[in-house]
Amino acid sequence: MAVPDPRGDFGRFTLPYCSFVVPGETHPRVGVGVDTDVLDLTAAAGVVVPDHRSLFADGSLDAFLAAGFETWHEVRQALAEWLGDDAHAHVVDHHLSPADQVGLVLPFTVGDYVDFYASEHHATNLGRMFRPGGDALLPNWKHLPVGYHGRSGTVVVSGTPIRRPVGQRRSSDDEVVFGPSVRLDIEAEVGFVVGTGSTLGEPVSLADADRHLFGICLVNDWSARDIQAWEYQPLGPFLGKSFATSVSPWVVPMAALEAARTRPPARDEPLLPYLDDEDTPPWGLDLRLEVRLNDEVVSQPPFDGMYWTAAQMLAHMTVNGASVRPGDLFASGTVSGPDHDQRGSFIELGWNGIEPLKLADGSTRAFLENGDTVTIAATAPGPDGEALWLGEVTGTILP
Amino acid sequence: MAVPDPRGDFGRFTLPYCSFVVPGETHPRVGVGVDTDVLDLTAAAGVVVPDHRSLFADGSLDAFLAAGFETWHEVRQALAEWLGDDAHAHVVDHHLSPADQVGLVLPFTVGDYVDFYASEHHATNLGRMFRPGGDALLPNWKHLPVGYHGRSGTVVVSGTPIRRPVGQRRSSDDEVVFGPSVRLDIEAEVGFVVGTGSTLGEPVSLADADRHLFGICLVNDWSARDIQAWEYQPLGPFLGKSFATSVSPWVVPMAALEAARTRPPARDEPLLPYLDDEDTPPWGLDLRLEVRLNDEVVSQPPFDGMYWTAAQMLAHMTVNGASVRPGDLFASGTVSGPDHDQRGSFIELGWNGIEPLKLADGSTRAFLENGDTVTIAATAPGPDGEALWLGEVTGTILP
């Protein structure tokens, strides 16, 4: 699969949600992706889902996320029926705008943002680069989904320019120097959006994940490798990540991804009961990501090989009693496959700058340069075997 | 100073803010600590600060925090004048309730929560315990305030019971085991509450810290040392911390702490310009903390020895372009002084369980037991040399 076929066209099955601003207005509206258009659900809700119209009044997904599993299902079903009934065609048309003619904004208020590290290939690649003498994977990696909290206040919507971060780093001769990052990278990830919250002190089991996970978005967890390398011992990444995390404007509901559900890879270590998913419905997802640098495809990471699933991440994140809230976002960590052209970060594609990536124009690229635009897109198998377009997240580096 | 003199009595200078619920009501109100009472500012604002009454209408500090430095100053001055004028005494009395007869709730919506590691004594103690052969401090420690993001959704108000967290840990014979933490600890910290937000891409300088930092609260960053030890490589603390972080219900405005401002310790390494505070007004704070275990004072950590100041933490946190929002909370990390009875965590007081703390009743204590109540209180020097009471944060461990 070179370039996803349905690029930019959501069709009428996926029905992803967004928040958009009409030119000339300031208040956002909740939208639904229909073909290449956005349906104004804030306006149409009175007709389509009159009992739930208040959920969409403020133009964000916040109230809808909190409304719970049954409501998500009712709204999706009502939308599908309404859109599928030709009798409503002229009313539907009245509420559609071409998606490229509206402003897409951050669709929900991000609560806590957690980033995991769930690709074995990614973790192994980084282990080989940074601990060449030691084991590629640390001892805990196959026992629990390693993760950490990121900065929710700097989660930005796709298209937001990314200013190259400034900070401390250690120079090659071990001096502490200050300036713009010289090893600016991406991490191509999938993000999971929490709908229903949980109660402090009560873990969410694998079996209950369905009731809490509303949908997915695409995430670019921009990373300043040089800042991160100097700061991260012993408490983990901080300023190397916190300057910006970009997300796609579309949240694709889990209900649209039933055909993408697949078994995760075989587990190499026995898992504790709260993480053991051998007998649960599969939570692996057969998504195909694509990373483009200035319109050139540089990587196509497959998501189906991710060692840890979203349900496991949620179960782990709450096993200590921590609660989740509507709008919490957790991301998979860099999605990397086994092949070179399936790596989801430049540090892997260029092997820490040692074997820079060769581009089509003959130049090479170790890390990002000012003016570079990086876009991450994805597709999933749909119910009839066709590829569903899941949207994309893009950003351009400013000096 | 054994026990702070003015325990529970705020006097009429400090004027800390809270959010409280009157028995029989559900909606919170903004309160101000006056002597041992709470003043209902949501009700009194129409008289005291009529132009700003809307800031207090929703019962949280959110709008007031965002209103900015000039407004904070105006409100504090108006409150002081109104309270000081005997002509208003009967109106004031009408708006006062004993603080111990109202319900104190979380006073603001926590945006991002960051925890630093700013005490040299604490970092050195932990380095000695965990890297006995190596340098006690890692190479970056004196070049930047090390920190990481914590979970804002599990920040709870003082008095909230703390359920002992469950999770994975490594047993003494290197097996992965699962169950309640057996090394549950505290971290006695001071938290800084961000008022005015900043703009993405624009660092906050040391000189501008005054305009962004609204005030302080007390923080107990509960820590499951066994869960943390197994999970934290390579991305830092996660579930060992995320089950709960308790904060005092009172936010003491920075304006009340002018007399506590003091020079931080001499710097052992030259600092980069964005952190160099040699010629700025001092941001060290001469606060005295007290840690009580079941009403026995077990530690009295001094805050004036903290190596990194709040202004440096804020400057560092934003130097990469990351923005802050009203309600962001960042904490100092464990406050430990040079003496044994100045250590702000049990892992230090009992030296990782090797030399358990001796209690007054003859028993010893390495880590927390079920039913234990831990309280962290603090005082600061006031304008006339008297000790100002800053409130306390308490929590009891449930099984």
Side-chain angles (χ1 to χ4, degrees), chain A residues 112 143 153 168 239 320 328, chain B residues 112 143 151 153 168 239 320 328:
Chain A
D112 272 298
H143 293 276
Q168 296 192 25
L239 300 192
N320 66 344
D328 279 355
Chain B
D112 273 296
H143 293 275
R151 190 163 189 83
Q168 296 192 24
L239 299 192
N320 68 344
D328 280 355

Side-chain angles (χ1 to χ4, degrees), chain A residues 311-331:
Chain A
Q312 289 173 318
M313 295 175 204
L314 181 61
H316 184 61
M317 193 159 53
T318 59
V319 72
N320 66 344
S323 49
V324 292
R325 293 172 292 177
D328 279 355
L329 172 68
F330 60 94

Side-chain angles (χ1 to χ4, degrees), chain A residues 107-185:
Chain A
F108 58 96
T109 306
V110 181
D112 272 298
Y113 167 53
V114 166
D115 197 26
F116 283 93
Y117 192 55
S119 159
E120 181 172 0
H121 301 292
H122 172 69
T124 302
N125 284 337
L126 264 65
R128 282 191 187 134
M129 277 182 245
F130 295 122
R131 296 182 299 274
D135 290 334
L137 287 182
L138 291 172
N140 57 13
W141 200 90
K142 291 200 170 174
H143 293 276
L144 55 82
V146 170
Y148 67 102
H149 286 92
R151 190 164 188 81
S152 61
T154 53
V155 173
V156 297
V157 74
S158 175
T160 306
I162 304 301
R163 206 174 295 188
R164 181 178 294 271
V166 164
Q168 296 192 25
R169 61 180 194 271
R170 193 144 56 165
S171 69
S172 50
D173 53 354
D174 267 5
E175 290 294 306
V176 178
V177 296
F178 183 81
S181 168
V182 296
R183 294 160 61 82
L184 184 56
D185 198 359

